[in-house]
Amino acid sequence: MSEADAVRQDAVKQGMREIDFVLHSSWRLGKTIVAGWSHDGRRASFCFSEPYMVLGSAEELPRLVRGRRLMEAPVFAETCKMLRARPLTMDLPFTVGTGKGEVNPLLIENLVKRYTISATESRAVILFDIVSFSKHTPLEQVAQLSSLEYSINSAAKRLNQVGLRTELARSTVGDGFYVWNRGEGVDADLRSWLALLLILADNALARQKGNAKLVPTLRAAFSIGSHFSYHQVEGTTPRGFEYIVGEVTITLARIIAKALPGQILIGQFQRELGGVAGTSIETLGFLARAEQVASSLSGLEVGHAALLGLRSITTTPGDKAGIAVYRIGDKHGYTHQAFNTRVTVERENCDPLMLGRTGSDLAGFAAEPAAYDAKAALKR
């Protein structure tokens, strides 16, 4: 590295520290958040406002919570005017832009995200719940959470090894985790489903060879829907990773509440296909696509044996012919629909690993089955 490059690199680091200091000072422990920002050469301007003001104006100006917070100067000025906020402008030790020797605005955008609330229209989310968690000793609880954490990390590593880029984020619910892929789009959602299967396979193998009290018995739910992301306020610093809350997390919490130990539920959803206007895919079409993508995992090591195949099917009561969707009522009087899923993990020179419950093994599952009409689901 030349002396000039070293000086430039130091200036960038110093400038980013200064930006973070200004953002943190104006953030005021979460009292205000960044609604938007703009740049002009060696200056950057930020629009701070109270969260209720930003969220209350989001319907009129969706980009307050959707997409990047980086705005063109006229839009930024209009945003500040709408929120009755005075822009905060600071000088920088570098020029922001995409030209040679300039600092890419995405670097600042990634820093700004920590001080925003963002909406995501569609993302796959998993919810894992450890069965009878409260009945275990604190030592056993820690061991079970650690075991689940390892399975999550291992699944992400395996997917990345075969070129399926996956970055799994999570937030705890006490006796389990919400898990999602930070990437967005249909491909990212498909990888989230494959991650779920690898996590459950790793967990099942660990239970076969380990102490049952130290490896959790899981029930799992998966769905796709909208949510908000935010960075939790902890002390005087926003956490470095996000939390999510919204329609999809509520759905998952409701359907997993009725799930049996070992059961896998996938919510009924309709997922828009990015880049193709007016097209979407429903749950069963999503599973069919996931099985195609799963072929790229062939040969991956799962429990010291090469993976031959991953197959997911939905079941009916008594495993009769047809497709059934289960209607699950919650304490608020709402009904959520989900499919019971059975997964077969085929490995070289091993008996198939069976995950989930069969349609004949749902005694005690408090849900009402009904015939599923895929065409009607796509019209919803």
Side-chain angles (χ1 to χ4, degrees):
M1 181 185 297
S2 68
E3 183 177 348
D5 288 336
V7 170
R8 178 180 176 275
Q9 191 175 76
D10 288 342
V12 172
K13 290 180 180 179
Q14 178 60 29
M16 296 302 290
R17 284 194 292 266
E18 290 175 4
I19 293 172
D20 191 39
F21 177 80
V22 169
L23 292 177
H24 186 273
S25 299
S26 301
W27 168 70
R28 296 160 61 193
L29 304 182
K31 183 176 178 62
T32 64
I33 59 175
V34 177
W37 75 282
S38 186
H39 64 87
D40 181 14
R42 297 173 71 91
R43 283 191 168 187
S45 299
F46 304 91
C47 178
F48 276 89
S49 185
E50 291 84 354
Y52 72 87
M53 286 288 291
V54 175
L55 296 173
S57 302
E59 186 172 347
E60 183 178 351
L61 194 62
R63 70 174 305 162
L64 291 177
V65 294
R66 298 188 186 280
R68 296 176 181 174
R69 293 301 104 91
L70 176 59
M71 300 176 177
E72 296 294 335
V75 177
F76 178 78
E78 184 62 29
T79 298
C80 293
K81 181 179 179 181
M82 173 185 289
L83 297 174
R84 299 192 295 275
R86 179 179 298 175
L88 173 65
T89 299
M90 63 178 296
D91 294 321
L92 303 172
F94 50 72
T95 300
V96 182
T98 56
K100 184 177 180 180
E102 298 178 336
V103 173
N104 194 309
L106 290 181
L107 285 176
I108 301 176
E109 178 72 23
N110 289 333
L111 184 57
V112 166
K113 281 183 179 180
R114 296 179 61 188
Y115 301 93
T116 66
I117 294 176
S118 299
T120 299
E121 187 62 33
S122 188
R123 175 180 268 134
V125 181
I126 308 163
L127 177 56
F128 291 107
D129 180 75
I130 298 177
V131 178
S132 300
F133 184 75
S134 62
K135 295 181 180 179
H136 290 275
T137 67
L139 179 62
E140 292 167 350
Q141 290 177 345
V142 170
Q144 291 188 3
L145 287 171
S146 178
S147 175
L148 178 53
E149 285 265 19
Y150 172 79
S151 296
I152 294 170
N153 293 334
S154 177
K157 180 180 179 180
R158 286 184 167 93
L159 289 172
N160 282 295
Q161 283 176 342
V162 297
L164 298 178
R165 185 177 178 183
T166 305
E167 184 182 359
L168 296 181
R170 74 208 68 166
S171 61
T172 182
V173 290
D175 53 0
F177 297 99
Y178 284 112
V179 178
W180 64 97
N181 190 351
R182 284 199 173 96
E184 294 187 40
V186 176
D187 289 341
D189 292 345
L190 291 168
R191 294 167 191 177
S192 294
W193 175 254
L194 298 182
L196 167 64
L197 304 189
L198 292 176
I199 292 166
L200 291 177
D202 186 80
N203 170 258
L205 292 170
R207 285 189 60 78
Q208 288 179 3
K209 64 181 182 181
N211 185 330
K213 291 185 177 181
L214 303 181
V215 181
T217 297
L218 299 174
R219 48 184 181 172
F222 176 101
S223 194
I224 295 178
S226 61
H227 68 81
F228 286 92
S229 302
Y230 67 99
H231 288 77
Q232 185 183 42
V233 178
E234 184 175 279
T236 59
T237 306
R239 297 287 293 272
F241 51 90
E242 72 269 29
Y243 284 72
I244 62 173
V245 63
E247 177 259 334
V248 65
T249 60
I250 293 172
T251 296
L252 290 171
R254 298 293 183 261
I255 65 178
I256 207 169
K258 301 294 179 68
L260 301 172
Q263 191 171 12
I264 307 169
L265 291 172
I266 181 170
Q268 180 180 338
F269 55 77
Q270 184 175 333
R271 210 295 182 200
E272 296 296 322
L273 297 177
V276 184
T279 60
S280 60
I281 190 170
E282 46 74 50
T283 306
L284 299 186
F286 178 87
L287 289 179
R289 285 198 176 198
E291 189 163 331
Q292 294 175 353
V293 178
S295 62
S296 63
L297 302 181
S298 181
L300 192 69
E301 185 178 292
V302 176
H304 304 294
L307 181 67
L308 300 178
L310 280 174
R311 189 165 63 94
S312 307
I313 62 169
T314 60
T315 73
T316 58
D319 291 318
K320 298 178 181 178
I323 302 171
V325 62
Y326 289 84
R327 296 170 178 166
I328 302 170
D330 66 24
K331 60 184 179 181
H332 302 291
Y334 295 104
T335 300
H336 308 272
Q337 300 197 124
F339 299 89
N340 181 63
T341 311
R342 182 76 165 163
V343 178
T344 303
V345 183
E346 297 178 346
R347 299 180 300 144
E348 190 174 34
N349 300 322
C350 297
D351 292 333
L353 186 63
M354 308 303 296
L355 307 174
R357 286 182 173 243
T358 66
S360 301
D361 187 27
L362 297 180
F365 181 38
E368 177 186 353
Y372 179 65
D373 185 339
K375 291 183 178 180
L378 282 172
K379 293 179 181 178
R380 290 174 51 144

